[in-house]
Amino acid sequence: MIKLQPRFDLGVRKLLPEWRGLFTRKHLGADIAAGITVACIAVPLSLAIALASGVPPAVGLVTAIVAGIVCALFGGTPLQVSGPAAAMAILVAAIVQEQGIAALLMVGVGCGLLQLLTGALGLGRFVRLVPLPVIEGFTAGIGAIILIGQLPRALGLPPPAQSHVFDVVTHIADLASRTRPGAVGITLLTLGVLYGLPKIFPRVPPHLVAVGLSTAVVAAFGLDVATIGEIPRSLPAPRLPGLPADVSVGSLLGSTLLVFALASLETLLSATAVEKMSSGSARSDPDQELIGQGLGNLACAFFGGLPVTGVIARSGANVQAGAKTRRAAIVHALTLLVAVYATASIIERIPIPALAAVLFSVAFRMLSPSSFLKLWRHSRADGAVFAVTFMVIVFVDLLEGVRWGVVAALAIAALRLGRPEVLVHGARLDGNYVFALGGPLTFLSSLTIDDMLSRMDMLEGGRRVVFDVRDVRAMDASGAAMLSGLVEHARALDQRPVIVGLSGEAKTQFLSGGGEESVLVSDERELASVLGAPSADARLRTGVERYRVTQKPRYERLFGKLAAGQSPHTLFITCSDSRINPNLITATEPGELFLLRNIGNLVSPVSAAEGTAVGAAIEYAVAILKVSKIVVCGHSRCGAMAAMLSKTPLPEGLDHLHGWIEATQVRDLLRSMPSELSVDELAKLNVLAQLDQVRTYPCVAERVASGALTLSGWFFDVASGEVEWWSSEAQRFLPVGEGRERPSVPVDAPRPSREPGYLPGRVVTT
């Protein structure tokens, strides 16, 4: 169960030690260098994103400065850098165009309050519950809109009155003759530097150089190109935003919720990426990160700025530049503040086409066709969700695109989870047919059931038809009715239906819906009897058929690896008793256990083991396969132990069985015991005695002494299904997982008492 951890102090108590560290000299040089590097990237990006958002470019710088300080101080990802984001630009531009700047500021306040509340209540992790194809499609759709929306500026044309894709394309077509070659040239020059400079000088910030060079070229040659124009020489005074007069509360609330969802998701995705890039050294706290973003959005709204998110481009550059603490993001913001005061006259001359080119480079990364191809190769359904989200965002509306993407993802998930898988169709088994189903059998399963009905029509009459539903995880009333329909259809085709594995609530639903109890069988044994073949033969055949259908496909890759050789980690010595399944009780896969099984899990003494199967198996496992553990596992109600106690005497004439039990020296152990033993007590003592026998093998003793091999004694209680191990500290068998193991050194001594769970007459350290 997920526990919520509210933090009504906004995480301040937890952040105080980090804040104190900001005033020390530790990592100061690395943080200053990283902060200045990120600022060089943030200046052109912030200006360009503001341009794409439909607000004055200076607003982008103000936003980056305020968010860079506030989010860095209160955020939950120390190396994250926050500011205006390209992924939010189109949404912000739509709000500005439809509702105005005042509405945008109120949206920023609402978004900040929602983020504060979400983080304070410990709900940050739930923001990530958005399907990946929707996120990828949204990002690509925003990239396409940015790319198309900046084309007029790149061509030197005035922006269109409406920002919809069709309006932009029509606008460009109408004014194509007025294209300015100077603007096109500056755009191409900026793009050339952005993509070419990193290949020659990878450590130089390409955005700053590209924009700076384009500005110099425009000034030197007096090109007729639009520039940013006048920007303020200082930060605006903070003030509380007012409610816009001509905007409905409903539309304002809808915009706020959408900005909150997208800004929070973008932030947490960026935080996860930053944590991975820093190799986990900067752990991300999603709740604290949302608190920091909430305070940042509130502060930005008070200063007339844009809604902000954690930005992966700037955060990634921060990590790569060697940032060590949240001080680097603060240095980046202070550097931007200095830039506003000291270089405002230069910033004013930056050509608009250069910023359009910066946005082009961002859009190209966001489009990323490889993301779609990867999704499409992995799953056509995920690719379809990506395509739906992308197309609706680009050609209809941003909000509609997100809605339709989520709806498509939920619909596909419902179909995947709700439709059962027919694992085999019409398989022949001794003249009978088997249909195995897996997954839920619900009202969403009708298409699968219709397909089964069609396949049944092609089967020969007079045969048994087995519906194996043991892998059906859930069944509703509709599913039970469909199963009844399969039975009725089989009878109509002169086939004899059988259902195996129906139990619990599903069985009750089947019978209450008119299903026949006479067609139900509980397990493989009963099925084998119904099929009419000899019991053992039928059981094995039906088992192999089930393995082929349900297990073999799962293990094909593992079998392919094991075909080249085995490398088991454990030699598991246990009894031949059919009630013990080593792989079942250890939940191990093929290739993990090297099994040695015999009557009574007995180990031949090394002096008599030459040429025996037991001695050969031990030497092969230890010396050749290099197992790191040996387990000797006995079990309750062991027939061999009962025979030794003469509680269940063996029939005469079984010379091999008599000889095997007599040759194991267990009777010597019996004679040394001070009192009468039960079968289970002897079985447990036998485990320890056989461990002593295992230690006498030279290859075992050598690897135990070197620390490369450990030995354990286990006991399986058949009645309870519990697995226990011998604890030398507790001097008793404990459930596996309790206590701790110690090196295997045998010690014999009499026991003072016979408490429950203890073994009489022996102290053994294993």
Side-chain angles (χ1 to χ4, degrees), residues 325-348:
T325 72
R326 59 183 74 235
R327 183 169 47 195
I330 298 173
V331 170
H332 133 271
L334 295 177
T335 305
L336 292 178
L337 183 60
V338 171
V340 170
Y341 280 101
T343 63
S345 59
I346 298 175
I347 293 174
E348 291 172 345

Side-chain angles (χ1 to χ4, degrees), residues 432-449:
N432 304 299
Y433 298 98
V434 178
F435 289 89
L437 292 92
L441 190 59
T442 67
F443 70 96
L444 295 172
S445 309
S446 58
L447 297 178
T448 300
I449 300 302

Side-chain angles (χ1 to χ4, degrees), residues 152 157-161 166-176:
L157 302 176
F166 293 124
D167 295 320
V168 175
V169 172
T170 303
H171 179 76
I172 293 173
D174 292 341
L175 302 180

Side-chain angles (χ1 to χ4, degrees), residues 99 107 114 247-259:
Q99 303 175 22
V107 166
L114 287 174
V247 179
S248 68
V249 175
S251 61
L252 197 63
L253 181 60
S255 299
T256 300
L257 291 174
L258 184 57
V259 169

Side-chain angles (χ1 to χ4, degrees), residues 447-646:
L447 297 178
T448 300
I449 300 302
D450 288 344
D451 181 65
M452 287 182 63
L453 293 171
S454 300
R455 293 177 181 275
M456 288 171 63
D457 290 338
M458 297 183 287
L459 303 182
E460 182 181 350
R463 304 284 187 181
R464 284 280 185 193
V465 178
V466 179
F467 301 107
D468 187 343
V469 296
R470 281 171 291 184
D471 288 329
V472 171
R473 299 191 302 270
M475 183 184 300
D476 63 5
S478 299
M482 293 176 194
L483 193 57
S484 296
L486 289 173
V487 171
E488 295 172 3
H489 192 68
R491 292 197 187 283
L493 296 174
D494 193 28
Q495 296 160 357
R496 293 174 292 164
V498 176
I499 301 174
V500 60
L502 194 65
S503 60
E505 184 180 349
K507 180 179 178 180
T508 303
Q509 286 182 327
F510 175 78
L511 296 176
S512 63
E516 306 173 34
E517 188 165 9
S518 60
V519 301
L520 303 180
V521 297
S522 59
D523 53 31
E524 292 283 4
R525 291 179 181 272
E526 191 175 348
L527 175 62
S529 176
V530 169
L531 293 178
S535 179
D537 182 62
R539 175 64 186 90
L540 292 175
R541 286 175 177 269
T542 56
V544 169
E545 182 61 35
R546 178 172 171 77
Y547 152 75
R548 286 173 177 159
V549 171
T550 62
Q551 299 297 320
K552 183 172 175 285
R554 171 190 168 193
Y555 285 108
E556 281 180 349
R557 180 175 297 181
L558 177 60
F559 288 156
K561 293 180 180 179
L562 293 177
Q566 62 171 322
S567 57
H569 51 72
T570 298
L571 167 60
F572 200 94
I573 304 172
T574 191
C575 185
S576 299
D577 194 294
S578 63
R579 295 169 292 182
I580 300 178
N581 186 332
N583 292 104
L584 175 66
I585 65 176
T586 59
T588 47
E589 302 283 11
E592 292 191 75
L593 301 182
F594 191 79
L595 296 176
L596 171 56
R597 306 192 68 157
N598 59 51
I599 300 295
N601 47 273
L602 304 176
V603 177
S604 305
V606 69
S607 58
E610 185 175 348
T612 66
V614 172
I618 291 174
E619 290 185 345
Y620 189 79
V622 174
I624 304 299
L625 298 177
K626 305 293 185 184
V627 296
S628 59
K629 189 176 187 68
I630 297 178
V631 172
V632 176
C633 182
H635 67 97
S636 63
R637 304 182 186 182
C638 179
M641 300 302 107
M644 289 181 187
L645 291 172
S646 300

